[in-house]
Structures are given as structure tokens and as C-alpha cells.
Amino acid sequence: MTTRSLCKLLIAALLGLLAQISAPAMAQRTVKPVLHGSHWMAITGKPLAATAGALTFNRGGNAVDAACAMLAATATMWDTLGWGGETQALIYNPHTGKVQGINALGVAPSGATVEFFRKQGMVYPPEYGPLAAVTPGTPGGLMVMLSEYGTLSLAEVLAPAMEMAKGYPIEESQADNMESRRELLAKWPGSRKVFLPHLDEKNPEQRAAPLAGEIFRQPDLLATLQKLVDAEAEALAAGKNRKQAIQAAYERFYRGDIARQLVAGSKAFGGLMTLEDLDRWQVHIEEPVSTNYKGIEVFKLTSWVQGPVMLQALNLLEPMDLKSMGYNSSRYIHTLYQVMNLAFADRDFYYGDPYVPPAEPITGLLSKKYADQRRALINHEHNDTGIKPGDPYPFQGGKNPYVKLLKNWQANPPKAKAEGAEGFQQANLMSADEGFLAGTTSIQAADAEGWVVSVTPSGGWIPAFIPEGTGIGLSQRMQSFVLDEAINPFNVVHPGQRPRATLTPSLAMKDGKPLMAFSVQGGDTQDQNLLQFFLNMVEFKMNVQQAVEAHNILSYQMQSSFGAHQSQPGRLELTRRVSEWDRAELERMGYKVDVVERTYSPVTAIWLDQENGTIWGGASEQGDDYGIGW
């Protein structure tokens, strides 16, 4: 090696070291300010929806009321969800000192079997349309949260959303999204009526979707929401109490005239949903799962979403000295990537609906001793593309019933591959990357009484199928099922079963008191971003706004939960804030490094300042995430 080459190498190494040391300091500068409040905080994916939360607090509502109002508003704005999607939430109740989970994910309808989809020539259930729909969950989730933990009436909480359904000035991104999906939306009369008000078949060059700033009206949705409010009012007039009145609205949606409209409109286009499916479906108020990371208790929903994967990653990371590695150094990034490889491999094989047998081995998966065993597999010098799911059963005193499947498991099994239209009802609507990153919205709310809420609702995004006359866009979550138990024996489609979703709200506690509420838009990137946000706060001492704006890394080595469910081993996405030297080191370690201007990480979060009794809020500078505090 020449003296000149050696100097270049030393300079590059020094620059890499300086980047590692200065990165947290550089993060002090943020695009948005930290939000401060002492009474309440409302944060979500759209400014208008955050305003709905603020209006609800001003009505005297608590954080649950405000979260429900923001949920209703974001669903009305299709950001990026509709009213027929699904809702997942964690709620800290200051009166009990406990965190409760809300499971409002829909289930596969009658007729949704492996045999049915295979007869359609599909490798997976479809990505869009009536056959992609599970039963609607968001209306039920909202009403159960409100009746159990809120204080206001359904009419008061839905008031902002109903005003928006009458008409609101639509933002450019959503208007253009409608236009880009016009070919598919035009096939469904209910969707065409809502999303393409200017469609002129005689003039195909004319824009069909609304323009940015145009008043976007949804009269059918308004009529449906009015039916819910009317049912509540009639029950109150009949002498029913608040909870019973909200339950009357629930009954009308899932067992009354709204249910009949949804089923008839879906069946008209080949959908499988029946009145019995809606009648049998229920919201579960459940115990979340948790782990303790260096004195902080982190709560997640269990295996019907991917949330436990972050808890597994924290168990793996806990004994490591992350700070000494240097923030976003090659060593730190490699460590995160390998830990995620281990945790996500377990997700891809073991996660599924805990209400349908077989029972997921969640106790073993979250065992610290299991983490010790898995941690020993880490190759500290090179990316390991051969990582497979482990065997957590011995760590909960059981025997693995799927040893043969486990032995033969592949990240990209031959049956999982599909090219072009093969295996899909609709082709080429979403690229593999779009599916991997697929957005939803996130909601955080907290108040001075101590209520703290984190929600990650989704489903029914554009291009949504809307049964005529309802205004309700149905979910597309069916695509997250698999048809082959060799891929995941816990997530094979079956009537009445929930697909394993990516949606993952988060709460953290310290010394028995709430510390953080945080969640993020996205698909398989969600717990990757949330893990890094948490470490930014806890290990690198960023404030909440610095942590949500930090440039994270993204791995694509896990199976996608969408489309063709493909894995891209070794693919690593990062930004130029990672030094050239570190990027070269990562390439030497076997990574396929993609350098982008900004990785997708639109985190929203609340930090509870336990010392001063105040509330700090953070909303990513990406997209339209927005918060209001007082």
C-alpha cells in the first residue's frame, strides 16, 4: 500500500469516527420544534385530524376521547386507512395503573379458505378488492374504546369527522393518490362515486379525482355515521346509560341495516363476508406483552401483530454496550441488523392469531434465556443471510410441534415466489418496496389526569373497495395471510382467524408511571423504526423531536407482509448521515447498501416528563404528521 493510499484510509477512518461522535450532537437541530403541554397532547398523521383531537380536549374529553376523534378524522381523510379497516391500541389507565390492549383487527370471512384461494389460481390472498377484505374493525374498536375508557358521547367524538364528511379541503397527496388509482377505482361503483367525482368516460384525459384544496364530500359516509349517532340518541331517549347507548350504535353497525348494506354491496362484487361473520366478530380488550429493558417496561400487543419482535430485539440488545459502538457507526448498524434478523425470523414463522389454535409460543419467544441462546448466533464480522427461526418451546416447558417445518424453513420458499399477475387478483398496483413501506397513520394522546393512548390504525386504504351506499372502504388485510403452513403454520388463512398484521403501537413505563407513547406509519418497517426511536431516547439521550427526526436504517431481510411476501437478504437502506467509511465497512461485511436522502420513518411520539409533570410531543418532519399541545 502506498503512503498516499494509507493516508486516504486513515483520513476516511478519522472522518467515520468523527461522524460517530458528532451524530447525536448534530441531531440537536430539528426541522420541527418539540411540542410542550401541561394539560394535554394530541398527535397524528394529518393536521386537520390533530385539530379534531384538540377540539375534543376542549370539549372536556380525556385522551381516549381525543384519540377516538383523531381515529375518526383520519379514517374520514383516508390517511392511509378507511372506516372499514382495523384498529390496534394500547391504553394506560391511571385509575388502575395498568396498560390494556385493544384488538380490533377483522377476521377472515366465511369461505376464505386455502382451497378457495388456490382454486382462484392465487399464491396468496389478493392485495385489493372485495376478496382482500377482512371484517371491519375500526368502528367497533372506536366504540369499545370510547365506551370503556372515554367520557364523551359518540356524537361528540364523531362531530369533527362528520363535519369533514360533509366536505373539507382535500390535501394534494391524497387527491393525487386517488387519481393515480383511477383505473381500478372506476371498476367499483361505490369507490368511483367517492374518489372520482369528475370522471367523464367520454373525456378520459380529464382528471377524475378532486384537485388539491377542492372541497371533498362524502355524503354516503356521512349518512352511515349519522345512523350511528341516531342509534345512540334513540337509546339515550329510551333511558339507556352512556355505555348502553354506544353499544346500540355498535349493534346497528354490526347487526343492523349498516351490516346488511355492507354484506350486500360486497357480495355483489364477489366478496365473501356474511352477516354471520359481522355478528360473530368482536373487539378484544386484552393483556399486552412486555419486557424490561434496563429498568424501562416496554408494552406491545401480542402475536396477532408484529409488536413482540421489538421486545425480542430489546432482549437481545440489553447486555450490549451500544453507546460505546457509536451512534449509527458500522458496528452499531451491523449489530441492529443482526438482532433484527433473529427477531424477524421468529416473527415470520411463529406469529399469528392467539385466539385461534395452534397457540403461539409467546412466553418462550420473550424469554431472556431464549434471547441469550439466540444472541450467541450473531456473526459480528459479516451479515448472516442464513438466519432461521429458533425453537422457543423449551423456554416455556414445551415441545415444538413443527420441528420438520422449522428445519426446512426458507426465507423465500419456492411457493412464495410469484411473477407478474401469477397468484394475484390485481397485478402491478404496488411495488415490492411500496408494499414493504406501506403507510397507515399513527395516533398519540395524553392528558394531565394520566391517560396515555397509542394507536396504529390501518386498512381500507386507497384503492379501497366501497360497498355502494355505505361510504365505508373495506380492509385489504387478507393479503397478510399465507396459504402454505411451510411459511408460517400460525398464519394460514381460515374463516374467523385474524391475519398477522404489521401494526404496532407502543407504551413504555418507568417506576410504575408512563414514560413514552410511540408508533409509526409503515408496514414491515414499523418495529425497525420504533426500536431505533426507543434507543435514540434511552441510549443516546435525544429529546423526543430529535428522536423522531433521526435518520434510521432499514433492513429488508425479513419477509414482506404484503404482495409476494419476499425477503431481500442483506439489503440495507441508510442515508448520507452515515459516513462513507462506515458505508464501505458495511459493504465489506456483506451488505447491499442503498443510500437514500431519507429513510421512511414518520414516527409520532409523546414523552412524559416525570420530573416536571409535563408532556413533550414529537412528530416526524416527513409527510403530514402533526401535533397540538396545551
Side-chain angles (χ1 to χ4, degrees):
M1 182 179 289
T2 66
T3 302
R4 185 174 182 181
S5 298
L6 182 60
C7 287
K8 281 186 175 180
L9 183 62
L10 289 171
I11 290 170
L14 180 60
L15 289 172
L17 180 61
L18 288 172
Q20 294 166 26
I21 294 170
S22 63
M26 289 170 62
Q28 299 297 317
R29 299 187 297 273
T30 59
V31 175
K32 291 181 179 179
V34 179
L35 297 167
H36 289 283
S38 57
H39 300 285
W40 50 260
M41 189 70 64
I43 308 176
T44 189
K46 293 288 181 183
L48 281 177
T51 302
L55 291 170
T56 305
F57 275 124
N58 283 337
R59 285 179 181 265
N62 68 11
V64 178
D65 296 313
C68 289
M70 289 189 280
L71 172 58
T74 54
T76 300
M77 297 178 76
W78 303 91
D79 177 46
T80 296
L81 72 157
W83 271 95
E86 48 269 356
T87 287
Q88 292 69 218
L90 289 170
I91 300 172
Y92 174 75
N93 183 339
H95 304 302
T96 64
K98 292 185 64 177
V99 178
Q100 295 292 153
I102 301 294
N103 180 339
L105 174 61
V107 299
S110 299
T113 64
V114 170
E115 294 72 27
F116 172 82
F117 290 113
R118 283 182 171 163
K119 284 181 180 177
Q120 312 303 309
M122 297 178 182
V123 176
Y124 291 96
E127 298 171 87
Y128 298 99
L131 286 180
V134 295
T135 54
T138 288
L142 186 155
M143 288 185 272
V144 167
M145 279 196 291
L146 181 64
S147 66
E148 293 293 327
Y149 304 110
T151 63
L152 300 181
S153 68
L154 183 61
E156 289 173 308
V157 164
L158 292 187
M162 293 178 71
E163 185 171 345
M164 295 177 74
K166 289 178 184 176
Y168 72 94
I170 193 168
E171 71 279 15
E172 184 176 21
S173 59
Q174 204 61 281
D176 289 348
N177 188 22
M178 295 172 185
E179 182 67 16
S180 70
R181 308 293 191 179
R182 62 182 286 173
E183 184 177 349
L184 180 59
L185 293 170
K187 297 178 180 179
W188 304 321
S191 302
R192 182 172 64 238
K193 178 181 177 181
V194 173
F195 299 123
L196 307 176
H198 308 308
L199 181 65
D200 183 352
E201 295 179 356
K202 296 180 180 179
N203 186 7
E205 300 302 318
Q206 176 180 303
R207 183 183 175 95
L211 289 165
E214 180 180 331
I215 299 299
F216 176 52
R217 295 180 172 85
Q218 302 175 77
D220 288 343
L221 175 61
L222 177 61
T224 295
L225 298 179
Q226 186 63 53
K227 289 176 182 178
L228 299 179
V229 170
D230 289 346
E232 179 189 48
E234 289 166 9
L236 290 171
K240 303 292 185 182
N241 63 31
R242 175 181 168 278
K243 288 182 68 172
Q244 291 168 333
I246 296 173
Q247 180 62 31
Y250 182 104
E251 292 285 330
R252 186 166 187 180
F253 189 93
Y254 287 96
R255 299 182 178 100
D257 56 339
I258 300 173
R260 291 191 289 274
Q261 272 188 301
L262 289 169
V263 169
S266 175
K267 283 188 173 181
F269 285 86
L272 301 174
M273 192 164 56
T274 68
L275 289 171
E276 290 76 16
D277 294 325
L278 293 175
D279 176 61
R280 285 193 295 262
W281 180 82
Q282 62 178 310
V283 177
H284 291 285
I285 299 176
E286 61 187 26
E287 294 293 321
V289 290
S290 65
T291 198
N292 190 294
Y293 181 85
K294 301 182 179 181
I296 298 173
E297 195 77 10
V298 184
F299 291 86
K300 286 284 194 173
L301 297 168
T302 191
S303 59
W304 55 279
V305 291
Q306 69 173 337
V309 81
M310 179 179 159
L311 306 183
Q312 288 189 250
L314 289 174
N315 286 343
L316 289 160
L317 290 168
E318 189 175 31
M320 301 183 187
D321 186 356
L322 300 177
K323 284 185 285 189
S324 71
M325 295 180 188
Y327 175 72
N328 274 2
S329 68
S330 55
R331 185 180 172 201
Y332 177 72
I333 290 169
H334 176 68
T335 299
L336 283 183
Y337 199 102
Q338 297 311 300
V339 162
M340 290 193 293
N341 285 352
L342 292 163
F344 276 94
D346 282 341
R347 180 205 72 167
D348 290 344
F349 187 77
Y350 288 112
Y351 287 24
D353 186 353
Y355 297 94
V356 176
E360 291 75 13
I362 192 68
T363 301
L365 288 166
L366 297 182
S367 162
K368 298 273 189 177
K369 291 184 177 179
Y370 177 62
D372 292 341
Q373 184 193 74
R374 295 287 275 167
R375 191 183 307 109
L377 299 175
I378 293 176
N379 182 334
H380 293 283
E381 302 302 323
H382 199 274
N383 180 44
D384 188 347
T385 59
I387 283 292
K388 290 190 174 186
D391 186 356
Y393 282 90
F395 298 89
Q396 61 180 41
K399 186 176 180 181
N400 196 328
Y402 299 111
V403 172
K404 185 176 180 180
L405 292 178
L406 185 62
K407 182 180 179 181
N408 297 323
W409 186 85
Q410 300 176 52
N412 280 326
K415 286 185 179 180
K417 295 179 181 177
E419 298 178 359
E422 182 186 354
F424 299 97
Q425 185 186 40
Q426 306 291 338
N428 303 319
L429 290 173
M430 185 184 289
S431 70
D433 282 8
E434 285 176 321
F436 198 83
L437 302 170
T440 173
T441 198
S442 57
I443 298 168
Q444 320 301 325
D447 63 37
E449 187 182 355
W451 291 95
V452 184
V453 187
S454 181
V455 192
T456 317
S458 190
W461 54 73
I462 298 168
F465 169 78
I466 300 177
E468 282 193 82
T470 67
I472 303 290
L474 297 185
S475 171
Q476 301 97 339
R477 193 61 56 179
M478 190 84 75
Q479 66 181 292
S480 291
F481 279 116
V482 299
L483 303 183
D484 186 351
E485 69 169 7
I487 301 170
N488 179 349
F490 299 88
N491 191 37
V492 178
V493 66
H494 182 79
Q497 181 166 333
R498 292 163 186 79
R500 195 272 301 152
T502 55
L503 307 158
T504 176
S506 318
L507 280 179
M509 305 268 290
K510 186 175 183 182
D511 300 326
K513 297 178 181 179
L515 182 67
M516 286 185 274
F518 52 108
S519 57
V520 65
Q521 302 179 37
D524 297 278
T525 62
Q526 286 190 28
D527 274 302
Q528 299 187 55
N529 282 317
L530 296 177
L531 172 66
Q532 291 169 84
F533 165 83
F534 179 85
L535 295 173
N536 291 342
M537 295 284 292
V538 173
E539 295 287 357
F540 297 101
K541 307 305 179 185
M542 298 182 190
N543 71 39
V544 68
Q545 187 61 37
Q546 292 162 0
V548 300
E549 289 192 17
H551 285 202
N552 296 334
I553 64 143
L554 294 179
S555 165
Y556 288 75
Q557 186 151 316
M558 62 289 298
Q559 286 181 1
S560 174
S561 300
F562 306 91
H565 292 237
Q566 291 294 282
S567 165
Q568 300 178 58
R571 183 179 172 192
L572 167 63
E573 193 173 84
L574 44 72
T575 75
R576 288 182 174 84
R577 288 191 183 177
V578 176
S579 73
E580 288 186 27
W581 186 87
D582 284 308
R583 298 197 309 252
E585 270 294 285
L586 290 163
E587 288 178 340
R588 182 189 65 77
M589 299 169 86
Y591 292 101
K592 303 167 187 174
V593 177
D594 289 343
V595 181
V596 296
E597 288 302 314
R598 186 70 165 93
T599 50
Y600 187 75
S601 55
V603 179
T604 60
I606 288 174
W607 182 65
L608 289 306
D609 184 339
Q610 294 184 352
E611 182 178 351
N612 297 302
T614 59
I615 309 169
W616 297 44
S620 172
E621 86 287 11
Q622 286 187 285
D624 297 332
D625 295 312
Y626 202 81
I628 304 174
W630 185 249

